[in-house]
Amino acid sequence: MTSEAAADCLFCKIVAGQVPADVVASSDRVIAFRDISPKAPVHVLVVPKEHHGDVSVLAAADPSLLADLVALADEVATELSDGQYRLIFNSGPRAGQSVFHVHAHVISGAKLGWTPA
Ligand code: 5GP
Ligand code: ZN
């Protein structure tokens, strides 16, 4: 599924208001909410309101929506932190993806180390 809500998708349920979330920002087509298990002082997930499985699917299907997502991520990092941030898309289970509705992790608010594996 690409553009409608996917059955049993946690982030589609958050977008629909069926699962509560700490929403920090939104735009026409994108929503940002705090990660339930933060790994940094600012750890926000930025999610298109439409369902797309991962970043490569989104980039192919709707590049302007991916650009909107990055723009909202930047806004969040500027408003909640100092505008310096790491943007992470985990793509695929071996890369750490556990929710298969594309989301960018905005990680900010601390000097970040680099331990990807
Ligand atoms: P992934 O592992 O797919 O890159 O990231 C999924 C993220 O979703 C994880 O960082 C996890 O903590 C977060 N998460 C899982 N369930 C929930 C939830 O119910 N609410 C919120 N706000 N975040 C969640
Ligand atoms: Zn979804």
Side-chain angles (χ1 to χ4, degrees), residues 4-6 9-13 50-52 100-101:
E4 293 172 18
C9 171
L10 174 62
F11 290 172
C12 282
K13 287 179 181 160
E50 294 173 1
H51 183 90
H52 298 270
F100 294 87
H101 178 135

Side-chain angles (χ1 to χ4, degrees), residues 7 10 13 19 22-25 31 36 39 43 45 51 58-59 73 77-78 85 93 103-104 106 108 110:
L10 174 62
K13 287 179 181 160
V19 169
D22 184 358
V23 175
V24 295
I31 187 168
I36 204 167
K39 304 294 188 288
H43 186 173
L45 302 174
H51 183 90
L58 174 60
T78 301
Y85 58 95
H103 49 283
V106 178
S108 188

Side-chain angles (χ1 to χ4, degrees), residues 4 6 17 24-25 33 37 41 59 62 74 76 78 80 87 96 106:
E4 293 172 18
V24 295
F33 52 89
S37 176
D62 195 339
D74 193 86
V76 164
T78 301
L80 300 185
L87 196 62
V106 178

Side-chain angles (χ1 to χ4, degrees), residues 34-57:
R34 290 188 194 273
D35 196 292
I36 204 167
S37 176
K39 304 294 188 288
V42 173
H43 186 173
V44 170
L45 302 174
V46 187
V47 171
K49 293 177 181 175
E50 294 173 1
H51 183 90
H52 298 270
D54 64 31
V55 67
S56 69
V57 171

